[in-house]
Amino acid sequence: MRRAIYPGSFDPVTNGHFDMIERSAKLVDELIIGVLNNSSKNSLFSVGERVSMLEELTCHLPNVTVDSFDGLLVDFAKRIDATIIIRGLRAVTDFEYELQIAQTNHEVYPDIETVFLTTRLEYAYISSTIVKEFASYGGDISHFVPQQFMGHIYAKYGY
Ligand code: PNS
């Protein structure tokens, strides 16, 4: 049984995340999307809102579930008995940071393996940060996020 976590902040979920989720779900038996509940970080969406959006987005994928976690990713992985972490690489700029985290996680939990998938070129420039920046000025985010969440995102900025 290959159980994997696709962790992230998902604040908000983007088309790039969704592509990663669909592709990862084909590689493993079970995929758990782990939403980081980081109370010290100023999130646009509450963890509950982020979990429900991801649940709505993935309801057609039978081997995908959504959960949230506090604290260290490796502790969450141990708790749910997952041995694979999936991360997306958009560009070389992601690599250094991701390598460091993957090596640290492997050092403290040798059973965990991090698998990197390269994002599709058409989504390589998308990040939740850019989405928020655009949306905060009322910019067009229709190419960046799932259509059904555009209204939720604009509403956070009073549009
Ligand atoms: O969507 P993000 O912000 O790129 O996701 C980053 C995330 C949630 C994967 C990362 O920050 C994380 O694993 N946080 C939990 C705390 C932790 O385990 N840190 C390990 C650093 S070595």
Side-chain angles (χ1 to χ4, degrees):
M1 167 69 85
R2 282 189 303 268
R3 181 176 290 153
I5 304 178
Y6 178 49
S9 305
F10 305 104
D11 187 42
V13 63
T14 67
N15 289 336
H17 292 133
F18 182 55
D19 175 52
M20 287 289 303
I21 292 165
E22 283 196 309
R23 287 163 56 204
S24 319
K26 291 183 191 151
L27 298 177
V28 298
D29 298 305
E30 267 183 53
L31 182 71
I32 292 105
I33 304 174
V35 180
L36 179 67
N37 184 10
N38 188 349
S39 46
S40 64
K41 204 166 155 183
N42 256 342
S43 303
L44 184 62
F45 288 97
S46 71
V47 70
E49 288 172 319
R50 286 179 273 150
V51 167
S52 356
M53 286 192 281
L54 283 157
E55 279 174 345
E56 186 181 326
L57 196 62
T58 58
C59 61
H60 64 297
L61 299 169
N63 64 336
V64 176
T65 53
V66 187
D67 203 348
S68 60
F69 71 101
D70 291 299
L72 288 176
L73 178 56
V74 284
D75 291 336
F76 177 55
K78 282 180 194 166
R79 194 163 67 247
I80 64 168
D81 209 15
T83 51
I84 301 169
I85 293 169
I86 294 183
R87 293 288 289 169
L89 291 177
R90 288 168 298 194
V92 279
T93 41
D94 284 338
F95 183 72
E96 207 173 330
Y97 174 67
E98 292 296 336
L99 179 70
Q100 203 178 5
I101 292 186
Q103 289 173 330
T104 309
N105 286 340
H106 192 257
E107 182 63 28
V108 298
Y109 182 24
D111 286 344
I112 202 93
E113 295 292 353
T114 301
V115 173
F116 294 109
L117 296 189
T118 53
T119 55
R120 272 164 64 176
L121 274 182
E122 62 195 284
Y123 302 133
Y125 62 91
I126 300 177
S127 70
S128 298
T129 307
I130 293 285
V131 168
K132 286 182 274 196
E133 177 76 4
F134 254 69
S136 71
Y137 291 103
D140 180 6
I141 55 169
S142 59
H143 294 155
F144 309 157
V145 295
Q147 210 194 335
Q148 64 265 46
F149 305 136
M150 281 175 54
H152 298 31
I153 299 167
Y154 284 130
K156 291 282 181 186
Y157 295 106
Y159 291 107

